[in-house]
Amino acid sequence: MLEASVMQRLGDFTLDASLTVPAEGVTALFGRSGSGKSSLIRLIAGLGVPDSGIIRVGETWLVDTRRRHWMPPHRRRLGVVFQEARLFPHYSVRGNLRYGMPRASRGDFDGLVELLGIGHLLARTPARLSGGEARRVAIGRALLSRPRMLLMDEPLTGLDGARKQELLRYIRQLARDTGVPILFVSHDTREIGALADRVALIEQGQVLASGPVDEMFSRLDLGPRTGRFEAASLIEARIVAHDDAYDLTQLALRNVSTPLDVARLEGVPGDTVRLRLRARDVGVVPASASCSPRSGTAFLPATLREIGDETQGPFVEVMLDVGGQALRARLTRRDVSTMRLHPGQTLQAQVRSVTISRHDVIVL
């Protein structure tokens, strides 16, 4: 587990943040540009010195300003991956991977190369790699150093949609198969929804909130504070079957009998997936309404948990409970008034499954 509580003045900006990262899984550090994400990760990596505070990983103290202790970066055993791959241009991929690799990692080399899918690239130089390939090599080099933790500072910036989705899958697989905890810095909620197990929200140099990713996405109070969380929910489901004739996949939500049909996914029946459902694609109707299934729309039994601010603007966000999972919906204020909505009310969630793209789903 990583624990950091640091303060640093950078001109007119002050970073005064406390962060805890569990010893497993992916923790996302999310915030606007200039919120302090990169400043905090640089202090953790040892690329800066805080004015005061502590940083430790497990029982190893990296920083303790009261004792005037500061461990240099090369001794921290933290793998760092930046936006740019920062590969050595005169080395091959194999040479980049082996650079600084301890003898103990030699047995890891072949397995990691296979996991990252870069075996066919070993003889190439960085100039002959695509952006996504170069990032994978950089991740491999960081992991072969046998780090306690992997720090990733917006590693997907600048990649196109297909390469970004490919690298997202690799990072998720790395977290699952290597057991190395990852601190992933991003300002993109789609990346966070696909990758993160936990989220820490940073604003103006302070960590405002942290918790499991589904709980963070379901908090109605965070959107107005950040201005960046696109109203959405993260829902887990299971692949039931594929319809090859129509290129569809049927999903079953936990504790819900009504299926969802989405664009054909890569997983197999029985796989668990995470769906990102935008609030604008979810509505509600009364529980008593007779709703025959329509193409691209599903009606799911739901209970109203929470109603957002009803005093400003034309829309209101509400939180529903669907089979024990939180589902966000966007309604008009008139709908809330006309339907006399109140917490605890039984309803039906109207989900436009036709709007769910492959980019909104990741196989866990």
Side-chain angles (χ1 to χ4, degrees):
M1 183 178 72
L2 178 141
E3 179 187 357
S5 182
V6 292
M7 193 278 287
Q8 184 183 40
R9 293 184 180 87
L10 301 164
D12 295 333
F13 178 80
T14 299
L15 177 71
D16 189 2
S18 296
L19 175 68
T20 299
V21 179
E24 60 183 9
V26 180
T27 298
L29 184 60
F30 172 84
R32 304 182 186 190
S33 178
S35 61
K37 304 186 303 296
S38 293
S39 298
L40 179 54
I41 206 168
R42 284 176 61 85
L43 292 181
I44 294 170
L47 303 179
V49 182
D51 297 329
S52 63
I54 60 98
I55 303 173
R56 69 174 179 175
V57 178
E59 300 302 317
T60 303
W61 289 88
L62 309 183
V63 177
D64 185 345
T65 57
R66 292 170 297 181
R67 296 190 290 120
R68 298 184 180 180
H69 173 71
W70 183 82
M71 182 179 289
H74 66 277
R75 292 182 52 207
R76 296 193 178 196
R77 289 184 55 205
L78 299 174
V80 185
V81 179
F82 297 98
Q83 292 181 19
E84 308 83 18
R86 300 190 182 187
L87 302 177
F88 297 114
H90 54 292
Y91 284 179
S92 66
V93 167
R94 185 186 298 275
N96 271 279
L97 290 171
R98 291 188 178 278
Y99 183 85
M101 184 180 74
R103 182 174 299 178
S105 291
R106 290 179 181 176
D108 302 334
F109 187 89
D110 292 341
L112 187 58
V113 165
E114 182 179 357
L115 178 62
L116 289 168
I118 55 177
H120 64 295
L121 305 175
L122 293 177
R124 294 188 190 178
T125 59
R128 297 173 56 205
L129 301 177
S130 70
E133 290 169 342
R135 307 286 173 92
R136 277 188 275 156
V137 173
I139 292 169
R141 184 174 62 181
L143 285 170
L144 284 169
S145 69
R146 291 216 164 177
R148 295 186 179 99
M149 178 174 292
L150 197 59
L151 309 178
M152 308 187 80
D153 190 3
E154 308 227 28
L156 307 182
T157 299
L159 297 182
D160 62 32
R163 288 182 174 85
K164 180 178 288 191
Q165 289 300 313
E166 178 186 47
L167 199 52
L168 279 169
R169 287 195 296 271
Y170 279 116
I171 295 171
R172 185 76 201 179
Q173 189 174 358
L174 284 173
R176 183 179 64 241
D177 293 351
T178 67
V180 177
I182 297 174
L183 178 58
F184 183 88
V185 176
S186 178
H187 64 272
D188 189 328
T189 56
R190 290 170 297 183
E191 295 176 6
I192 291 172
L195 276 178
D197 300 299
R198 296 179 58 83
V199 178
L201 173 63
I202 187 169
E203 181 179 296
Q204 296 180 357
Q206 296 185 322
V207 175
L208 298 182
S210 63
V213 63
D214 55 342
E215 292 182 10
M216 293 290 285
F217 268 70
S218 67
R219 284 182 53 176
L220 298 181
D221 60 315
L222 294 182
R225 296 293 301 271
T226 67
R228 293 300 295 271
F229 268 114
E230 180 185 8
S233 307
L234 295 179
I235 300 290
E236 288 194 3
R238 178 176 48 84
I239 295 178
V240 175
H242 298 298
D243 187 337
D244 295 326
Y246 294 100
D247 206 23
L248 295 171
T249 294
Q250 187 179 86
L251 301 177
L253 274 64
R254 186 193 316 151
N255 301 320
V256 175
S257 59
T258 305
L260 282 179
D261 289 325
V262 300
R264 180 68 153 80
L265 303 178
E266 294 182 353
V268 299
D271 279 350
T272 299
V273 302
R274 180 185 289 171
L275 299 172
R276 180 176 177 272
L277 300 179
R278 289 174 290 272
R280 66 172 183 258
D281 295 327
V282 181
V284 300
V285 296
S288 58
S290 178
C291 301
S292 58
R294 298 202 303 265
S295 176
T297 303
F299 295 90
L300 311 177
T303 302
L304 183 58
R305 281 189 185 179
E306 181 183 0
I307 301 175
D309 186 358
E310 302 177 64
T311 62
Q312 297 185 17
F315 302 109
V316 179
E317 289 184 12
V318 303
M319 194 62 64
L320 307 169
D321 183 301
V322 176
Q325 299 190 80
L327 180 62
R328 205 164 182 163
R330 179 176 294 164
L331 313 176
T332 66
R333 290 170 59 196
R334 182 173 58 194
D335 288 338
V336 174
S337 176
T338 301
M339 297 175 66
R340 298 181 180 179
L341 296 183
H342 59 271
Q345 187 174 357
T346 301
L347 300 164
Q348 295 182 78
Q350 182 180 9
V351 179
R352 296 187 63 222
S353 58
V354 70
T355 65
I356 304 171
S357 74
R358 292 181 177 92
H359 296 330
D360 294 318
V361 185
I362 186 168
V363 179
L364 299 178

